[in-house]
Amino acid sequence: MTSNVSTRPVARPVALVTGARRGIGLAIAEAFAAAGHDVAMTGTRRDDEAEAALARVAAAGGRVAFSAFDIADLAGHGAALDAIEAELGPIDVLVNNAGIGAVVRGDLLDLVPANFDTVIDVNLRGTMFLTQAVVKHMLARTPAHPRAVLTVSSVSAALASPERADYCISKAGLAMFVQNLALRLAGTDIGVYELRPGIIRTDMTAKVSEKYDRLIAGGLVPAGRWGEGADIGRAAVALASGAFGFATGAVIDLDGGLAIPRL
């Protein structure tokens, strides 16, 4: 008796995670690999840290690839995406995580245009146009897996910090971009979501860890603890699963209750 069931393996979905050499991006990449995705990781350079990150994600399962490029360099986006898809296949999930903090923290009235431009070029302009390129790739193909665009912003999209206004403005801009993208793609079955982490334990926050330890102990975060990269990774995988498709455009606060208005 001959079976009509194909024995060909089904290709794993592919997730592209930007800024995945360390921190939140690395945790997200690991979560997607463990959940059954092949994972493309990006960073500004391929160094020992990138190699270690690749090894960690590979250990979680599936194929991994690393593409070194500056997200602020729009001219480099096309070649990077072509190389990723040649190695792993079509991108099903984009996680916009790459970003930088304020170049210099200080008085808003002393903010210089060059520093503002640097932050905007990476956090907002680069992210927006990389997303545009990936989405065009997605729409040009018939999907085999659930598709999603996840953008990691920050509680700073809504909570002001005048000493780093450039960073806050970039994240607020991302929030509005996500809303516009969700409307544009609402009829395509590509879920679009914004993830807003709060105080997360990463290399970026390590230099102010004592400050936040005191603030958390004093009640700043109702959950009473730091957030971890794994908290963000689990949420990202769930949103990309397709289970929340009708919630496209949703903003997910991942901050232990930090942003909830209180008396």
Side-chain angles (χ1 to χ4, degrees):
M1 181 176 179
T2 302
S3 172
N4 291 323
V5 178
S6 173
T7 58
R8 294 178 59 190
V10 176
R12 291 161 60 101
V14 174
L16 168 58
V17 184
T18 66
R21 288 170 63 249
R22 59 186 178 182
I24 291 173
L26 175 54
I28 292 173
E30 288 183 285
F32 273 100
H37 290 68
D38 292 334
V39 180
M41 306 160 63
T42 81
T44 55
R45 59 193 179 278
R46 184 161 185 166
D47 54 9
D48 290 344
E49 187 173 51
E51 295 298 339
L54 272 170
R56 281 179 55 175
V57 176
R63 297 179 299 159
V64 296
F66 190 92
S67 180
F69 70 98
D70 182 356
I71 194 172
D73 177 15
L74 306 192
H77 290 180
L81 294 179
D82 288 344
I84 288 167
E85 295 199 334
E87 186 166 355
L88 295 181
I91 295 166
D92 300 291
V93 179
L94 169 63
V95 183
N96 289 314
N97 171 75
I100 60 174
V103 177
V104 176
R105 290 189 179 215
D107 190 336
L108 170 59
L109 300 183
D110 293 328
L111 176 62
V112 300
N115 290 348
F116 178 84
D117 291 346
T118 295
V119 174
I120 294 297
D121 282 351
V122 174
N123 293 3
L124 180 55
R125 186 171 181 268
T127 296
M128 177 175 171
F129 286 102
L130 179 67
T131 302
Q132 183 188 77
V134 172
V135 167
K136 286 181 178 179
H137 280 228
M138 287 180 174
L139 293 175
R141 301 182 176 97
T142 301
H145 305 283
R147 300 177 297 177
V149 176
L150 314 177
T151 298
V152 179
S153 64
S154 167
V155 291
S156 294
L159 302 180
S161 299
E163 75 281 2
R164 54 190 186 117
D166 44 359
Y167 177 79
C168 297
I169 291 167
S170 73
K171 295 301 184 178
L174 272 182
M176 182 51 67
F177 169 58
V178 170
Q179 295 299 296
N180 279 275
L181 185 67
L183 289 175
R184 172 61 180 82
L185 299 181
T188 67
D189 291 326
I190 299 175
V192 179
Y193 310 99
E194 180 190 351
L195 286 70
R196 288 189 183 175
I199 302 170
I200 309 299
R201 198 188 310 274
T202 66
D203 293 342
M204 184 181 292
T205 55
K207 55 190 173 185
V208 290
S209 62
E210 291 185 7
K211 169 189 172 182
Y212 282 118
D213 282 341
R214 292 193 300 272
L215 290 171
I216 292 170
L220 178 65
V221 179
R225 68 171 177 88
W226 282 79
E228 304 292 343
D231 293 317
I232 316 302
R234 285 190 294 268
V237 167
L239 289 168
S241 70
F244 298 91
F246 205 57
T248 191
V251 178
I252 311 300
D253 290 313
L254 296 161
D255 61 4
L258 170 65
I260 298 174
R262 288 168 279 172
L263 288 175

